[in-house]
Amino acid sequence: MRVGIIGAGAAGLAAARHVSSYGFDLDVFEMGAQLGGTWVYTDDVGKDRYGYPVYSAMYKGLRTNLPKEVMGYPDFPIPEQKKSYLTQAEILDFLNLYAENFGLKKYIKCNTMVMDVRPVDNQWKITCVDKPTGQIFVNLYDSVMICNGHYNDPITPSIPGQELFAGTIEHSHNYRDPERFRGQKVLVVGAGPSGLDLTLHISSVADYVVLSHRVAEPIKTQYPANVEIRPDIKRILDFDKVEFIDGTCCGFNAILFCTGYRYSFPFLHDSCEISIDDNHIQPLYKHMIHIDKPTMCFIGIPFNVCTFQMFDLQARYYCKYLNGLMSLPSAEEMRVHTQEDMENRQAKGYTKRQMHMMGPDQQSYYNELAHDANTAPIPPVLVKLRDLSVKRLYDDLVNFREDQYKILDEQNFVKVSN
Ligand code: FAD
């Protein structure tokens, strides 16, 4: 069994760890200069020194939005220390520690970008470019695990009248630090975790910041006095003036879209038969396995999850299948199961864009995977702590990272200080 893994972020590392533990042959292709994916910070935006796209959306000063008690891997927790919310550099160190501990570095080919993946005679042909030399090479694998992340293809809405705006318009993917907004009037669009966090970062140097959003719930966080919350944008009126749907207007020098990302697999040839419709990827069994070509799998697709924990569980599940320790249902049965899952989601009011969202469904998703693969589940305490942390983020973004937690057992945690 020879396995090709695309990406050496937290998901690709979990995949490599479990694939190697079964003694399979593997290569991990990583387009960046080092492992770590999202957690690698670079000043570069747009293109890198070799002319290839810059992957990471990481920005200076980022601290995690989940406590370290949740962010470790199941049997490889983040080492004990006196805070729960770590910095970008600390998570990157942790991923390096993980890779060293499980001897993964020897499998990772950095600066190697996968350009094309296609099925050939029951195998997968993976074509890569070595970025520094431009040399192309091709390898065949029995299985391919796609771990390329989903924060690299930004969604940037177009606003009526946008062509009139004279200031800068960009997506948070290109945001690195607040300095260039010093003294400016900035409009941040979108109230996901990035929009909320960047509003706070930018408010430390900007003249004022308006956070515009369309979420039904009011934002409870008390921002500094130079931040204002407004509803959705209606249109741009002239070189600086933006009108909101409540009829109010305001002038800006810059607009920063924090409006999310598309799933994107530009290297998958059409013959892989993967389609994406409004961020719904098909045909995937349990949000990970290609129903018609089960030697292809995707690690890390679901969102609103306990990230590294889930990557590890998905990798354990898939490796049991690869090793013949677990069989999958027939393609028809997988299709029916997937259809039912989608219908349940629709019945709950999820949109197509939310077909891979877990949130309140995550514990049952984890339990199902663990049960089917006869492997350890993710303890409920982690899901509870994740949910509390997300609530705290929305309620009190400015202070929630002062909280510290301690896990007591499978079900319980305590807050040790704030
Ligand atoms: P990534 O970390 O994105 O790694 C994917 C890897 O694939 C990258 O290294 C990339 O270079 C490589 N790759 C992509 N395409 C190719 C190709 N064609 N060829 C070769 N290599 C390729 N999650 C949390 O749990 N807590 C947080 O606090 C948190 N904060 C975040 C903040 C920001 C700004 C962002 C963008 C995300 C955050 N996340 C957070 C989510 C984060 O993405 C996950 O925690 C996790 O790092 C995702 O891991 P991954 O391996 O799936 O993807």
Side-chain angles (χ1 to χ4, degrees):
M1 176 65 71
R2 214 172 163 219
V3 183
I5 296 173
I6 304 174
L13 293 175
R17 180 225 161 149
H18 290 290
V19 167
S20 64
S21 76
Y22 283 108
F24 299 149
D25 214 6
L26 70 146
D27 288 315
V28 183
F29 301 112
E30 171 50 58
M31 65 190 253
Q34 56 172 305
L35 66 81
T38 295
W39 298 97
V40 176
Y41 173 81
T42 169
D43 284 330
D44 294 343
V45 289
K47 296 269 165 54
D48 68 13
R49 58 197 284 230
Y50 304 115
Y52 291 92
V54 169
Y55 179 82
S56 183
M58 185 49 61
Y59 47 88
K60 277 187 190 156
L62 181 135
R63 281 178 70 193
T64 60
N65 52 33
L66 295 179
K68 70 172 189 307
E69 289 71 20
V70 176
M71 285 206 60
Y73 291 98
D75 58 355
F76 196 82
I78 295 181
E80 203 39 63
Q81 53 197 288
K82 279 204 180 92
K83 62 178 188 282
S84 278
Y85 293 87
L86 303 190
T87 64
Q88 161 268 325
E90 287 166 330
I91 297 291
L92 185 58
D93 284 349
F94 169 68
L95 291 174
N96 274 286
L97 185 69
Y98 180 81
E100 263 157 35
N101 186 70
F102 294 104
L104 306 178
K105 290 192 172 173
K106 59 180 175 288
Y107 304 118
I108 302 171
K109 299 178 184 341
C110 287
N111 278 322
T112 305
M113 182 166 173
V114 173
M115 310 296 281
D116 188 87
V117 175
R118 61 182 73 195
V120 176
D121 299 334
N122 285 326
Q123 286 192 303
W124 294 99
K125 185 168 113 177
I126 301 187
T127 305
C128 298
V129 60
D130 175 59
K131 295 197 315 184
T133 60
Q135 199 183 330
I136 303 286
F137 57 94
V138 177
N139 282 303
L140 287 174
Y141 295 90
D142 302 301
S143 173
V144 57
M145 296 178 78
I146 299 172
C147 312
N148 68 324
H150 41 86
Y151 297 102
N152 67 333
D153 188 2
I155 297 173
T156 307
S158 68
I159 302 173
Q162 195 163 312
E163 67 287 353
L164 303 172
F165 192 70
T168 57
I169 299 183
E170 60 190 356
H171 191 277
S172 57
H173 188 262
N174 285 350
Y175 174 91
R176 294 294 180 266
D177 73 60
E179 214 32 58
R180 46 183 296 263
F181 297 110
R182 184 168 289 280
Q184 294 202 345
K185 302 167 182 37
V186 184
L187 173 59
V188 174
V189 184
S194 291
L196 295 177
D197 205 33
L198 293 185
T199 296
L200 187 61
H201 280 235
I202 294 169
S203 69
S204 65
V205 299
D207 187 359
Y208 64 77
V209 183
V210 170
L211 171 61
S212 157
H213 73 98
R214 57 171 62 150
V215 286
E217 301 275 308
I219 292 172
K220 294 186 190 152
T221 280
Q222 292 294 312
Y223 274 111
N226 63 341
V227 174
E228 235 188 87
I229 313 287
R230 301 244 178 147
D232 216 356
I233 300 170
K234 183 172 180 193
R235 59 185 167 153
I236 292 178
L237 294 173
D238 62 24
F239 72 99
D240 78 337
K241 214 159 278 101
V242 174
E243 184 184 2
F244 299 90
I245 56 168
D246 61 359
T248 59
C249 292
C250 200
F252 297 100
N253 310 106
I255 301 177
L256 184 67
F257 285 115
C258 301
T259 36
Y261 294 86
R262 285 176 206 88
Y263 291 104
S264 172
F265 312 101
F267 43 82
L268 290 186
H269 185 260
D270 286 350
S271 57
C272 294
E273 294 176 336
I274 284 290
S275 67
I276 308 175
D277 178 13
D278 200 13
N279 263 3
H280 180 201
I281 310 167
Q282 298 194 73
L284 290 192
Y285 178 59
K286 300 209 189 261
H287 306 267
M288 60 187 289
I289 299 176
H290 193 317
I291 290 178
D292 298 308
K293 304 181 195 317
T295 52
M296 170 178 278
C297 127
F298 297 73
I299 301 292
I301 296 299
F303 59 98
N304 290 2
V305 293
C306 300
T307 47
F308 300 7
Q309 302 278 337
M310 183 197 71
F311 303 159
D312 180 87
L313 177 58
Q314 289 185 319
R316 274 185 277 145
Y317 177 98
Y318 191 62
C319 286
K320 284 235 170 167
Y321 162 67
L322 284 186
N323 204 28
L325 293 169
M326 178 190 81
S327 53
L328 291 174
S330 70
E332 211 31 58
E333 285 165 333
M334 290 196 273
R335 226 181 298 284
V336 169
H337 178 281
T338 304
Q339 185 59 30
E340 283 170 3
D341 179 31
M342 298 310 143
E343 282 166 11
N344 282 337
R345 290 170 161 271
Q346 275 158 0
K348 286 182 198 160
Y350 292 10
T351 62
K352 205 178 272 180
R353 223 179 240 207
Q354 294 170 324
M355 283 299 142
H356 301 296
M357 181 179 82
M358 287 303 154
D361 301 319
Q362 60 180 305
Q363 187 72 61
S364 57
Y365 175 67
Y366 304 150
N367 290 349
E368 242 185 64
L369 290 184
H371 172 267
D372 291 0
N374 192 21
T375 186
I378 295 180
V381 64
L382 298 184
V383 176
K384 285 186 197 164
L385 183 48
R386 180 198 172 274
D387 290 350
L388 176 78
S389 182
V390 172
K391 183 176 179 318
R392 292 275 301 123
L393 181 156
Y394 280 94
D395 286 353
D396 189 9
L397 176 80
V398 179
N399 300 305
F400 86 103
R401 291 189 180 92
E402 303 313 313
D403 297 349
Q404 275 185 52
Y405 299 99
K406 187 171 168 50
I407 303 277
L408 294 178
D409 54 40
E410 295 256 303
Q411 297 284 345
N412 301 294
F413 63 87
V414 279
K415 196 165 155 182
V416 287
S417 77
N418 60 353

